[in-house]
């Protein structure tokens, strides 16, 4: 009899224990699944990422004030802040990667990076290699010379030495007027060399030249050659990620985040189409 009662007691205790465990596990699993569906887990299922839970993006770190590298090796700048804001909207951890500008598009194409947030101008040639988001800022190419130069326009640079950043779209303008084109890994280095007396002019983004001049570099802005659209580059094999980036940019425009970042670095809004 005692043995029988003991068996009944043990059975009842076992049932209560299993019920308690089942309730705890179900609650935990439900909460976990919900978290995954709304943050990183969902994002990873929708598109391929270089590293799960992270938005791995490339920038040069040599294009002040869009991307620059501090003493610790960390990249900062307008592009970096925009990329970080995109990552936040995607529910992913930002994972910036420093890369020479000339090889960034190839890195995106071969999916070494999820995207490039590196001030790439949308061009037909680049669109053959990667897809682009909607523009996140508008800029343009401008000629910069030393203050004592008589050069005013592109035509004035006929046969002269022009410096540009390697891999930039500005080479097409330089090559229209001269065969003497010098390339640098960084637009800033090209402008610094110009100020020191090397080459006759630099063609670069007008905002980069404006920033360099504002920091005391003795250069002078001349003709604005064209206006351009800058966008995020994404692999053609990752359409879902591109859609999410466009949605993130739409939200960042609407809530004023892009304008806020722009005004922090430039004192003006470069995120809207210039009139």
């Amino acid at each position: 009899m005692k043995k029988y009662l003991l068996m009944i007691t043990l059975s009842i205790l076992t049932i209560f224990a299993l019920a308690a465990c089942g309730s705890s596990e179900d609650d935990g699993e439900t909460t976990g699944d919900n978290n995954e569906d709304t943050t990183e887990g969902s994002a990873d299922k929708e598109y391929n990422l270089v590293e799960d839970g992270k938005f791995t993006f490339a920038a040069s770190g040599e294009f002040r004030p869009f991307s620059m590298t501090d003493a610790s090796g960390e990249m900062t700048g307008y592009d970096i802040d925009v990329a970080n804001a995109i990552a936040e909207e995607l529910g992913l951890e930002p994972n910036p990667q420093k890369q020479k500008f000339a090889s960034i598009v190839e890195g995106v194409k071969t999916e070494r990076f999820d995207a490039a947030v590196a001030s790439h101008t949308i061009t037909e040639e680049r669109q053959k290699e990667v897809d682009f988001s909607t523009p996140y800022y508008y800029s343009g190419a401008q000629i910069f010379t030393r203050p004592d130069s008589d050069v005013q326009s592109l035509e004035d640079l006929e046969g002269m030495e022009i410096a540009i950043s390697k891999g930039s779209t500005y080479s097409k303008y330089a090559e229209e007027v001269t065969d003497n084109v010098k390339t640098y890994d960084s637009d800033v280095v090209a402008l610094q060399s110009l100020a020191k007396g090397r080459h006759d002019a630099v063609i670069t983004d007008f905002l980069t030249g404006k920033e360099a001049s504002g920091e005391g570099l003795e250069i002078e802005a001349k003709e604005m050659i064209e206006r351009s659209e800058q966008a995020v580059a994404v692999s053609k094999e990752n359409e879902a990620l591109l859609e999410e980036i466009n949605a993130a940019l739409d939200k960042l425009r609407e809530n004023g985040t892009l304008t806020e970042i722009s005004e922090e670095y430039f004192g003006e809004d470069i995120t809207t189409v210039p009139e």
Side-chain angles (χ1 to χ4, degrees), residues 94-167:
N95 183 27
Q97 301 293 310
K98 185 176 179 179
Q99 183 76 12
K100 291 295 184 184
F101 185 80
S103 59
I104 289 178
V105 167
E106 181 63 23
V108 172
K109 177 183 176 181
T110 56
E111 298 182 273
R112 289 176 54 205
F113 315 114
D114 297 319
V117 189
S119 292
H120 280 97
T121 300
I122 300 174
T123 66
E124 290 184 8
E125 183 178 358
R126 285 174 176 161
Q127 285 177 315
K128 294 176 183 177
E129 307 297 323
V130 294
D131 286 334
F132 282 101
S133 70
T134 54
Y136 64 95
Y137 80 90
Y138 299 83
S139 187
Q142 189 166 20
I143 296 168
F144 290 87
T145 67
R146 286 181 292 280
D148 60 356
S149 173
D150 293 330
V151 169
Q152 295 296 328
S153 65
L154 190 61
E155 290 73 20
D156 294 338
L157 288 168
E158 186 78 36
M160 294 185 181
E161 183 175 279
I162 302 174
I164 58 170
S165 173
K166 189 181 299 181

Side-chain angles (χ1 to χ4, degrees), residues 23-40:
S23 175
S24 174
E25 288 175 1
D26 289 344
D27 289 344
E29 287 176 2
T30 301
T31 302
D33 287 344
N34 286 341
N35 286 341
E36 287 177 2
D37 286 344
T38 57
T39 55
E40 295 176 3

Side-chain angles (χ1 to χ4, degrees), residues 171-219:
S171 60
K172 64 181 180 181
Y173 302 116
E175 290 166 1
E176 287 178 10
V177 294
T178 186
D179 295 326
N180 191 3
V181 179
K182 186 172 180 60
T183 60
Y184 288 85
D185 287 332
S186 162
D187 297 75
V188 175
V189 174
L191 290 168
Q192 290 170 342
S193 296
L194 173 68
K196 292 176 182 177
R198 302 187 185 100
H199 41 265
D200 298 294
V202 170
I203 298 177
T204 186
D205 184 281
F206 85 95
L207 291 165
T208 299
K210 178 182 177 181
E211 174 80 4
S213 179
E215 292 187 351
L217 210 59
E218 293 188 4
I219 56 175

